[in-house]
Amino acid sequence: GAGTGHAGGIQLSHGPHKGRLIVPVYSGGCYIVYSDDHGASWKMGSTIRDAKGEEAAAQEWAIAETGSYTEDGTPILLASRRNTPPHDLPSGVTGKGYRLQALSYDGGLSWGEEWEARQLPEPIQGCEGALVWHPGTKKLYFSHPDPELGLLRTNLKIWSSANMGATWENHAVVWPGAAGYSSLVVMGNETDAELGVYYDRNNHSMLIFEAQSVSFTTVAA
């Protein structure tokens, strides 16, 4: 079988392939399926390669535009892939991992070498995470659990990045208790439009939608 996302696909906003529909898929690797004819037909892109140059393991992943573009106007895309540490760790040992990221300069057809995002930790078995570009704040936002000691799926949090995912900063804690999968959406075209967060809470017993402000204030240094 194959899985998608889970948080959803995107549509390219600029460039020669403006309007391209892109859906991240994981099955025998991580790759996109894309359509340049409004969904009438679909094609498959290349799989992501890990730091060793080998085909990356099939894991849940998300993609977003970064606000940067190639010379022909194609949006540069960021991929964020779940990083599940080995399952044979001794009890109580976290084997702490970090999210894996890669960039695409051709509309998702191929991906550059992956790297670890050291500000984005994974719980012991990894977890899905959501990624979105906010055109108003010119930042990427990522939602994911940030549990103490890297253990259970708790403390759902949002991070932000203003440099294509090279570094991430803490933005907000959505829910400090048990929480896992999530999905992000920018709620409008205004520069200060809020982020909508849809996520599971309390070990999947509740599905919650919340709006999170992405407006900021400044303080003199």
Side-chain angles (χ1 to χ4, degrees), residues 64-67 131-141 160-161 171 185-196 212-216:
E65 293 190 6
T66 62
L131 187 67
V132 71
W133 165 252
H134 194 305
T137 63
K138 309 297 183 186
K139 290 184 178 182
L140 286 158
Y141 293 89
S160 68
S161 173
H171 175 68
V185 64
V186 179
M187 300 176 64
N189 298 318
E190 300 81 8
T191 57
D192 60 349
E194 291 184 322
L195 286 173
Q212 293 288 318
S213 175
V214 295
S215 58
F216 293 89

Side-chain angles (χ1 to χ4, degrees), residues 5-125:
H6 292 279
I10 64 171
Q11 185 174 32
L12 293 188
S13 62
H14 296 82
H17 301 292
K18 180 180 179 180
R20 171 177 287 174
L21 302 174
I22 300 177
V23 179
V25 175
Y26 58 100
S27 174
C30 290
Y31 54 89
I32 68 159
V33 292
Y34 67 97
S35 174
D36 288 322
D37 55 13
H38 309 289
S41 63
W42 294 85
K43 298 178 181 179
M44 176 180 168
S46 299
T47 56
I48 291 181
R49 315 299 290 186
D50 62 22
K52 298 178 182 178
E54 301 173 352
E55 186 175 273
Q59 296 282 5
E60 297 157 339
W61 63 302
I63 57 176
E65 293 190 6
T66 62
S68 295
Y69 306 89
T70 63
E71 290 184 359
D72 68 359
T74 298
I76 298 173
L77 306 180
L78 178 70
S80 177
R81 186 168 70 91
R82 175 174 173 170
N83 185 12
T84 302
H87 292 276
D88 57 353
L89 294 170
S91 176
V93 177
T94 66
K96 189 148 184 129
Y98 302 92
R99 293 295 291 193
L100 297 169
Q101 298 183 156
L103 293 171
S104 174
Y105 296 85
D106 56 11
L109 300 185
S110 64
W111 298 89
E113 184 177 297
E114 277 191 321
W115 77 94
E116 285 187 332
R118 290 300 181 95
Q119 294 91 12
L120 303 179
E122 288 276 20
I124 189 168
Q125 298 297 338

